[in-house]
């Protein structure tokens, strides 16, 4: 009987719950608060010295300042953010930066050269994943105190090991890893000489337009206006990211007005919300390219005719217009559109006859069988299946091996694949980031330490490697751009990569949201000037 | 019944001692069973985690890390040690309650779980309550009025509950009750407006907000939880009502029921006092199992309703090769199962005199 009583009680409680849910009035999001739905389960750290993921890039881009910035509409226009001006020494190895006076951190502490020097030294010394962006200038834990030095209250010098192109150095200074951290605040949380790393992973010490109030993994990131920000005061008081994994759920929330921006809608969902009067679509090409890598350890794939034939066996425009509608544009060079020297030439299209001819030349008139490791997400699977079909029309039997992202990557990094379909995102806004991985392979041995994409596909290219490495030393910007253009042409022609697409980021935005900016990289996505009407 | 009770000259002492020994033995064997279960769980999860063809270093440093960073982290993780040694280190730490740090969130795994579990607990409990509160009476009526309206309804609901994917049901209910009708709040646990109003104490927003007198937040949270709880409750209901019906049919065909009727008891008394009381014993297992299933975290429901619970946490960790979190989460699921087993065992004893000795 006790049980029955309990059950009756539960039934009453249940009925009460149902009835109370009925009269729920709906309020839109508050006017001074921007609410976004976004899949940000990739965030693992909020410390600029460590964060290297796309979502974290955007969060830090809105909450920290860097020395240098660039115009999101014209990447070649570089300007100072924290830096006021800079000069290059005659030997090209030392840059002297002067800082803007009167800047403050969100904590109220003044921002001086001491903080900048601390931040750069800290990033190099902690040596986390993105540290190489600064390390490639010859900075190490041992020498960074010598190479990055404060020379005045608002002045410091940055010394490199070679006379690199100034644009190369400056673009690297726009990366999140070069964000300026509040030394006093970070060091007040230091433990065992960790530069405040354990604390900063989940906390905030910056000077950007917004402060990070809280990050709850896979749940919410809450940003608040930084009233000590030296720039124009942001109109929004709060920005909230909600982690909504399911895209259909994002769509419902957006239509209902419970969020202002949906960041991860698929093509069908975009088609649907586009028709609604109070929702608009915004998009921007991003620094990620999609490609297929052909392992040169496979004797068939190593034949130049086979590599070229495959490039004629992808229906680029059909994939971009249907399966990946709104998400990509056709792009057949390794430098994404928007980078210095990027080429927008797309010579390849689907041409089965030409491909067959090339295969016959390679002695493979009847085709052959080959496998491709494919990450089991809709994007990769979609491209892979389309490619499988067009390959079949020339007699190439492509078997897809599906796998989880980390799993396929582990195999790829061990060079155990035949073909691999992947995406590569630029690490910083300089062409070297992609040239260094697609067109450089200084050691093709199995036990090589560095594993650039050229190495992973066992593409042994001593000459191209030399060209790539020379490009970073070319101080003339126009000449430098020309080197990259030639490199891209060569890679398009001979490489074991089927360069296919460049990613486009799409956001569905309610029309009362004004001035939300999608930049060429995630850390230039900005809501510093966003307001709601 | 032990022999000692039959000996006329014996004092009470040996009898008590006897019982004490027996209790101690039972507790001992129970604890041993729990320990073996956990050790097994720990070992299986650990070795599966190591056998999967995923490089755990990649999960931490990402694809772009330079070789020296990669190598340093590999050594930090102890991946150069022999497998048994890695397991031993993990085991020793786990025994002291240290399950390591999650790669994804940077928090100790246990504090992560303490954060996500209340969300799942709140939802699963409400879902089970709804399922049981509706499912048991429905099953009883279906059995009593065989082939009647309720019987057909239970049959249809059972069919729907089993055949419709919960994922679809969740999305459709959102579409209808949230997007179109606007009767309930949308995905998530709370509106942004109320986000920092409630200080987490138990982690269950309904309870925390009620305790702090934040009634606006309470009603908002209630509006958020009701739909996922109903969806979960529905799938529990389909199962519970079906099982109740068949247990009841079985009991109603027993001779003691006929006897009770012959004695002139009212039908209501026959059904509730006699038949249901006996059917309740196996029913407890059914309800407990479905509760345990929901407590593990119903990944699909949590995903559709953006509910930051245990299921999402474990799945997400698995996708990111965050093995510490996966191991910790799996152990918690193990604890839940063992815990619910004990609970239903105790309830059995309460309800069924035959199991008391």
């Amino acid at each position: 009987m006790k049980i029955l009583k309990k059950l009756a009680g539960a039934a009453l409680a249940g009925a009460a719950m149902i009835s109370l849910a009925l009269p729920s009035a709906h309020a839109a999001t508050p006017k001074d608060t921007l609410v976004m739905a976004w899949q940000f389960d990739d965030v693992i750290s909020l410390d600029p010295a460590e964060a290297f993921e796309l979502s974290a890039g955007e969060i830090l881009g809105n909450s920290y300042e860097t020395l240098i910035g660039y115009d999101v509409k014209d990447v070649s226009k570089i300007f100072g953010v924290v830096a006021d001006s800079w000069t290059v020494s005659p030997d090209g190895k030392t840059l002297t930066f002067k800082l803007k006076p009167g800047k403050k951190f969100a904590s109220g502490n003044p921002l001086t050269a001491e903080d900048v020097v601390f931040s750069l030294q800290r990033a190099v010394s902690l040596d986390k994943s993105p540290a190489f962006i600064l390390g490639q200038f010859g900075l190490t834990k041992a020498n960074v105190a010598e190479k990055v030095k404060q020379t005045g209250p608002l002045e410091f010098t940055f010394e490199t090991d070679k006379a690199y192109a100034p644009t190369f150095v400056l673009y690297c200074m726009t990366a999140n890893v070069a964000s300026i951290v509040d030394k006093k605040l970070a060091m007040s949380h230091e433990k065992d000489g960790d530069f405040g790393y354990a604390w900063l992973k989940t906390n905030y010490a910056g000077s950007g337009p917004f402060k990070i109030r809280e990050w709850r993994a896979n749940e919410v990131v809450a940003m608040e206006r930084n009233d000590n920000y030296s720039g124009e005061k942001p109109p929004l008081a709060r920005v909230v990211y909600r982690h909504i994994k399911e895209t259909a759920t994002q769509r419902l929330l957006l239509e209902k007005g419970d969020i202002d921006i949906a960041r991860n809608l698929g093509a069908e969902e975009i088609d649907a919300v586009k028709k609604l009067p109070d929702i608009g679509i915004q998009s921007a090409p991003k620094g990620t390219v999609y490609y297929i890598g052909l392992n040169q350890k496979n004797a068939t794939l190593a034949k130049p005719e086979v590599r070229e034939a495959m490039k004629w066996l992808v229906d680029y425009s059909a994939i971009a217009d249907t399966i990946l509608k709104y998400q990509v544009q056709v792009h057949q060079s390794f430098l994404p559109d928007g980078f210095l020297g990027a080429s927008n030439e797309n010579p390849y299209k689907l041409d089965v006859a030409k491909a067959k001819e090339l295969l016959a030349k390679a002695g493979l008139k009847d085709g052959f069988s080959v496998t491709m490791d494919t990450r089991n997400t809709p994007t990769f699977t979609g491209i892979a299946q389309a490619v499988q079909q067009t390959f079949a029309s020339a007699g190439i039997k492509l078997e897809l091996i599906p796998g989880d992202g980390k799993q396929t990557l582990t195999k790829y990094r061990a060079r155990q694949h035949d073909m691999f379909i992947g995406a590569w995102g630029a690490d910083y806004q300089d062409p070297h980031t992609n040239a260094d991985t697609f067109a450089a392979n200084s050691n093709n041995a199995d036990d090589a330490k560095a594993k650039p994409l050229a190495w992973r596909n066992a593409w042994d290219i001593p000459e191209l490697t030399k060209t790539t490495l020379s490009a970073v030393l070319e101080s003339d910007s126009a000449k430098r751009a020309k080197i990259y253009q030639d490199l891209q042409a060569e890679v398009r022609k001979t490489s074991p990569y089927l360069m296919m697409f460049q990613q486009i980021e799409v956001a569905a935005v309610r029309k009362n949201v004004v001035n939300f900016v999608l930049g060429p990289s995630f850390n230039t996505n900005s809501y510093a000037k966003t307001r709601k009407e | 019944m032990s022999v000692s009770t039959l000996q006329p000259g014996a004092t009470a002492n040996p009898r008590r001692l006897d019982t004490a020994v027996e209790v101690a033995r039972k507790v001992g064997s129970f604890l041993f069973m729990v320990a073996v279960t956990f050790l097994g769980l720990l070992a299986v999860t650990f070795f599966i985690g190591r056998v999967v063809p995923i490089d755990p270093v990649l999960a931490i440093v990402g694809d772009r890390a330079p070789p020296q960073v990669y190598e340093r982290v590999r050594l930090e993780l102890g991946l150069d040690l022999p497998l048994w040694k890695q397991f031993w280190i993990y085991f020793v730490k786990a025994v002291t309650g240290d399950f390591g740090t999650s790669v994804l969130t940077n928090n100790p795994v246990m504090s992560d779980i303490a954060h996500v579990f209340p969300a799942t607990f709140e939802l699963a409990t409400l879902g089970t309550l709804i399922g049981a509160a509706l499912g048991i009476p429905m099953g009883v009526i279906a059995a009593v009025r065989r082939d009647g309206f309720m019987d057909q309804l239970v049959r249809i609901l059972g069919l729907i509950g089993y055949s419709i994917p919960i994922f679809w049901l969740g999305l459709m209910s959102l579409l209808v009750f949230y997007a179109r009708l606007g009767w309930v709040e949308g995905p998530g646990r709370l509106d942004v407006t109320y986000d920092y109003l409630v200080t987490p104490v138990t982690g269950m927003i309904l309870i925390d907000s009620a305790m702090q007198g934040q009634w606006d937040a309470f009603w908002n949270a209630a509006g958020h939880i009701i739909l996922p709880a109903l969806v979960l409750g529905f799938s529990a209901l389909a199962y519970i009502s079906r099982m109740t019906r068949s247990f009841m049919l079985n009991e109603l065909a027993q001779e003691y029921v006929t006897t009770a009727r012959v004695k002139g008891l009212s039908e209501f008394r026959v059904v509730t006092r006699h038949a249901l009381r006996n059917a309740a014993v196996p029913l407890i297992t059914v309800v407990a199992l479905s509760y345990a299933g929901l407590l593990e975290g119903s990944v699909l429901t949590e995903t559709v309703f953006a509910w930051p619970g245990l299921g999402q946490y474990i799945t997400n960790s698995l996708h990111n090769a965050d093995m510490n979190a996966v191991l910790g989460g799996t152990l918690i699921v193990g604890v839940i199962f063992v815990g619910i087993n004990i609970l239903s065992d105790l309830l059995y004893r309460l309800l069924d005199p035959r199991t008391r000795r």
Side-chain angles (χ1 to χ4, degrees):
Chain A
M1 223 34 216
K2 272 181 195 163
I3 287 288
L4 278 178
K5 271 183 195 157
K6 274 188 196 165
L7 289 177
L12 277 178
M17 293 301 299
I18 295 167
S19 63
L20 69 85
L22 295 178
S24 92
H26 254 287
T29 57
K31 207 177 165 199
D32 62 350
T33 305
L34 182 73
V35 185
M36 289 191 261
W38 201 21
Q39 298 167 349
F40 57 80
D41 42 4
D42 59 338
V43 180
I44 56 165
S45 174
L46 295 179
D47 186 332
E50 181 178 45
F52 208 20
E53 292 65 35
L54 299 179
S55 314
E58 174 172 322
I59 295 163
L60 298 187
N62 282 284
S63 55
Y64 282 86
E65 289 180 295
T66 46
L67 269 181
I68 307 291
Y70 56 84
D71 187 343
V72 295
K73 292 203 181 91
D74 179 0
V75 178
S76 67
K77 285 185 189 144
I78 293 179
F79 55 82
V81 179
V82 170
D84 198 26
S85 62
W86 54 89
T87 51
V88 184
S89 66
D91 69 352
K93 287 189 187 174
T94 305
L95 280 90
T96 304
F97 290 92
K98 281 203 168 74
L99 308 185
K100 288 181 184 165
K103 273 188 170 291
K104 261 193 219 165
F105 287 103
S107 64
N109 295 332
L111 192 165
T112 66
E114 193 181 343
D115 298 291
V116 179
V117 167
F118 166 75
S119 305
L120 299 176
Q121 290 182 349
R122 179 179 184 274
V124 172
S125 303
L126 285 174
D127 201 14
K128 299 293 174 188
S129 300
F132 74 93
I133 296 175
L134 299 171
Q136 59 190 347
F137 300 113
L139 302 180
T140 63
K141 204 174 171 172
N143 71 13
V144 70
E146 274 302 302
K147 302 278 183 183
V148 182
K149 266 198 301 213
Q150 187 179 356
T151 49
L154 291 173
E155 192 188 278
F156 78 100
T157 54
F158 185 88
E159 196 188 327
T160 57
D161 60 344
K162 289 180 194 157
Y164 293 105
T167 45
F168 179 35
V169 181
L170 294 174
Y171 276 129
C172 286
M173 290 295 178
T174 68
N176 287 131
V177 71
S179 298
I180 313 304
V181 174
D182 187 337
K183 179 180 179 183
K184 219 168 162 187
L185 183 59
M187 289 308 271
S188 70
H189 295 278
E190 187 188 33
K191 253 190 220 152
D192 313 322
D194 75 345
F195 299 94
Y197 162 69
W199 178 79
L200 202 55
K201 269 172 124 172
T202 52
N203 284 287
Y204 169 69
S207 60
F210 286 88
K211 302 187 276 192
I212 305 170
R213 171 175 174 152
E214 189 186 22
W215 161 48
R216 294 201 296 268
N218 301 332
E219 199 180 332
V220 79
V221 176
M223 316 280 286
E224 237 167 38
R225 179 166 53 214
N226 169 13
D227 289 321
N228 280 329
Y229 179 54
S230 59
E232 198 182 311
K233 183 181 165 187
L236 293 167
R238 289 208 294 170
V239 174
V240 177
Y241 293 98
R242 290 179 60 189
H243 175 66
I244 311 279
K245 186 99 186 156
E246 174 52 40
T247 58
T249 307
Q250 290 198 4
R251 176 187 158 187
L252 284 179
L253 284 164
L254 180 73
E255 287 182 10
K256 196 77 190 160
D258 276 343
I259 57 170
D260 302 303
I261 303 179
R263 303 284 300 270
N264 304 97
L265 299 189
E268 284 163 24
E269 286 144 352
I270 292 172
D271 273 333
V273 296
K274 223 166 95 168
K275 295 183 190 124
L276 300 174
D278 44 6
I279 293 170
I281 302 295
Q282 245 178 282
S283 68
K286 283 284 188 289
T288 296
V289 288
Y290 290 91
Y291 72 98
I292 292 174
L294 313 174
N295 190 344
Q296 298 302 290
K297 290 193 158 197
N298 178 316
T300 310
L301 298 177
K303 293 183 180 174
E305 297 89 355
V306 172
R307 295 200 301 241
E308 200 192 333
M310 285 184 161
K311 290 173 188 173
W312 291 105
L313 280 176
V314 177
D315 199 346
Y316 303 91
S317 55
I319 298 174
D321 293 341
T322 55
I323 308 168
L324 297 181
K325 193 176 170 191
Y326 301 120
Q327 297 170 52
V328 299
Q329 60 192 30
V330 176
H331 190 79
Q332 295 174 350
S333 298
F334 67 75
L335 278 184
D337 185 18
F339 276 65
L340 178 76
S343 158
N344 282 333
E345 270 177 61
N346 299 319
Y348 298 103
K349 59 179 174 24
L350 181 65
D351 188 339
V352 180
K354 193 162 189 171
K356 277 186 173 165
E357 205 178 291
L358 283 159
L359 287 176
K361 226 195 256 175
L364 293 160
K365 197 160 60 69
D366 301 322
F368 58 94
S369 291
V370 69
T371 64
M372 178 157 80
D373 290 284
T374 309
R375 195 176 163 179
N376 54 10
T377 63
T379 308
F380 289 109
T381 311
I383 305 177
Q385 285 169 347
V387 170
Q388 190 180 35
Q389 263 182 21
T390 45
F391 270 30
S393 60
I396 302 177
K397 209 170 152 268
L398 180 63
E399 186 198 332
L400 304 183
I401 306 176
D404 154 76
K406 296 260 169 12
Q407 188 186 341
T408 50
L409 192 57
T410 303
K411 197 172 163 193
Y412 188 36
R413 286 172 58 101
R415 304 208 278 198
Q416 284 163 349
H417 63 295
D418 282 341
M419 291 169 62
F420 173 87
I421 176 164
W424 185 266
D427 292 326
Y428 46 90
Q429 205 65 28
D430 185 87
H432 185 62
T433 176
N434 276 17
D436 196 34
T437 194
F438 281 103
N441 182 9
S442 39
N443 178 7
N444 197 35
D446 279 339
D447 59 354
K449 286 269 185 206
K451 296 174 164 58
L453 298 184
W455 178 89
R456 293 183 201 180
N457 290 295
W459 193 33
D460 200 6
I461 38 168
E463 285 308 311
L464 277 184
T465 306
K466 262 186 230 160
T467 316
T468 298
L469 297 180
S470 74
V472 291
L473 301 176
E474 178 53 63
S475 59
D476 183 328
S477 200
K479 277 189 199 156
R480 193 167 174 233
K482 178 76 172 69
I483 300 178
Y484 287 114
Q485 271 157 8
D486 294 346
L487 258 179
Q488 289 169 88
E490 178 65 20
V491 168
R492 264 198 311 268
K493 217 163 115 196
T494 61
S495 75
Y497 316 116
L498 279 53
M499 303 297 317
M500 301 181 290
F501 310 109
Q502 175 173 0
Q503 186 200 12
I504 294 177
E505 195 198 0
V506 198
V509 184
R510 290 193 71 86
K511 287 211 171 127
N512 62 332
V513 177
V514 188
N515 286 341
F516 175 67
V517 178
L518 288 178
S521 68
F522 279 85
N523 64 350
T524 48
N525 288 348
S526 159
Y527 34 81
K529 295 195 169 110
T530 306
R531 63 191 156 78
K532 281 163 80 176
E533 288 178 338
Chain B
M1 222 179 245
S2 72
V3 182
S4 61
T5 53
L6 294 175
Q7 286 171 350
T11 58
N13 275 348
R15 212 161 97 193
R16 230 181 259 159
L17 194 71
D18 228 28
T19 326
V21 168
E22 185 143 340
V23 168
R25 211 178 54 212
K26 272 189 180 162
V27 170
S29 75
F30 171 74
L31 286 180
F32 179 72
M33 187 198 82
V34 171
V36 168
T37 311
F38 287 153
L39 185 65
L41 207 58
L42 203 67
V44 169
T45 341
F46 179 86
F47 287 108
I48 286 181
R50 288 298 184 268
V51 169
V52 208
I54 294 179
D55 183 348
V57 183
L58 269 187
I60 297 178
V61 301
D63 187 23
R64 314 299 172 78
Q68 70 275 13
V69 176
Y70 179 93
E71 192 55 26
R72 192 192 63 219
V73 173
R74 199 175 78 89
L75 297 182
E76 276 171 13
L77 289 178
L79 291 172
D80 53 329
L81 301 172
L83 210 53
W84 65 267
K85 217 169 188 171
Q86 292 181 34
F87 180 64
W88 176 246
I89 294 173
Y90 183 77
F91 176 75
V92 170
K93 278 190 169 174
V95 167
T96 59
D98 177 8
F99 289 90
T101 304
S102 157
V103 174
L104 225 55
T105 64
N106 273 308
N107 300 320
V109 170
M110 276 302 131
S111 94
D112 267 355
I113 289 176
H115 176 68
V116 296
F117 186 67
T120 296
F121 184 75
E122 197 172 29
L123 185 60
T125 307
L126 204 57
T128 308
L129 283 179
I130 293 174
L134 299 176
I136 293 175
M138 280 168 74
V140 171
I141 298 173
V144 174
R145 303 241 188 283
R146 224 175 147 180
D147 293 326
F149 168 75
M150 190 55 88
D151 198 15
Q152 302 295 351
L153 185 70
V154 165
R155 205 169 286 159
I156 293 171
L157 284 184
L159 199 68
I160 296 177
Y162 284 121
S163 54
I164 291 186
I166 198 155
F167 184 76
W168 185 85
L169 194 67
L171 271 178
M172 288 321 277
S173 65
L174 266 179
L175 183 70
V176 174
F177 297 108
Y178 160 66
R180 295 283 174 267
L181 297 175
W183 288 359
V184 297
E185 302 291 343
R189 293 180 79 189
L190 209 57
D191 275 3
V192 171
T193 331
Y194 301 104
D195 212 7
Y196 294 99
L197 237 51
V198 186
T199 327
V201 180
T202 62
M204 285 173 271
I205 295 184
L206 285 179
I207 293 178
D208 288 348
S209 57
M211 278 186 343
Q212 292 157 29
Q214 299 279 4
W215 294 107
D216 282 352
F218 176 84
W219 293 119
N220 185 262
H224 275 282
I225 199 173
I226 189 67
L227 202 55
L230 280 174
V231 167
L232 286 184
F234 177 73
S235 70
L237 173 147
Y239 178 52
I240 292 172
S241 62
R242 216 47 211 148
M243 297 310 278
T244 310
R245 178 183 176 275
S246 71
F247 292 147
M248 281 301 285
L249 280 179
N250 192 30
E251 293 303 328
L252 286 172
Q254 300 288 323
E255 282 180 358
Y256 72 86
V257 172
T258 317
T259 314
R261 283 184 180 138
V262 168
K263 276 164 73 186
L265 290 184
S266 74
E267 188 62 17
F268 182 76
R269 262 179 104 82
V270 171
V271 171
T272 54
R273 280 273 169 103
H274 294 264
L276 182 58
R277 188 127 194 215
N278 282 306
V281 177
L283 250 186
I284 284 177
T285 313
V286 167
V287 176
L289 273 180
S290 92
Y291 188 38
L294 296 189
L295 276 181
E296 275 173 54
S298 9
V299 182
L300 295 179
T301 316
E302 288 183 1
T303 306
V304 172
F305 288 96
W307 202 264
L310 187 64
Q312 271 216 58
Y313 180 73
I314 297 179
T315 319
N316 198 27
S317 309
L318 198 60
H319 282 316
N320 287 286
D322 187 352
M323 290 324 283
N324 279 345
V326 173
L327 285 168
T330 313
L331 278 177
I332 288 299
V333 171
V335 172
I336 293 169
F337 252 101
V338 173
I340 287 198
N341 256 318
I342 298 171
L343 205 72
S344 62
D345 226 44
L346 289 176
L347 279 175
Y348 256 49
R349 272 155 216 250
L350 216 68
L351 284 172
D352 188 350
R354 285 168 303 183
T355 55
R356 278 181 208 159
R357 279 227 44 104

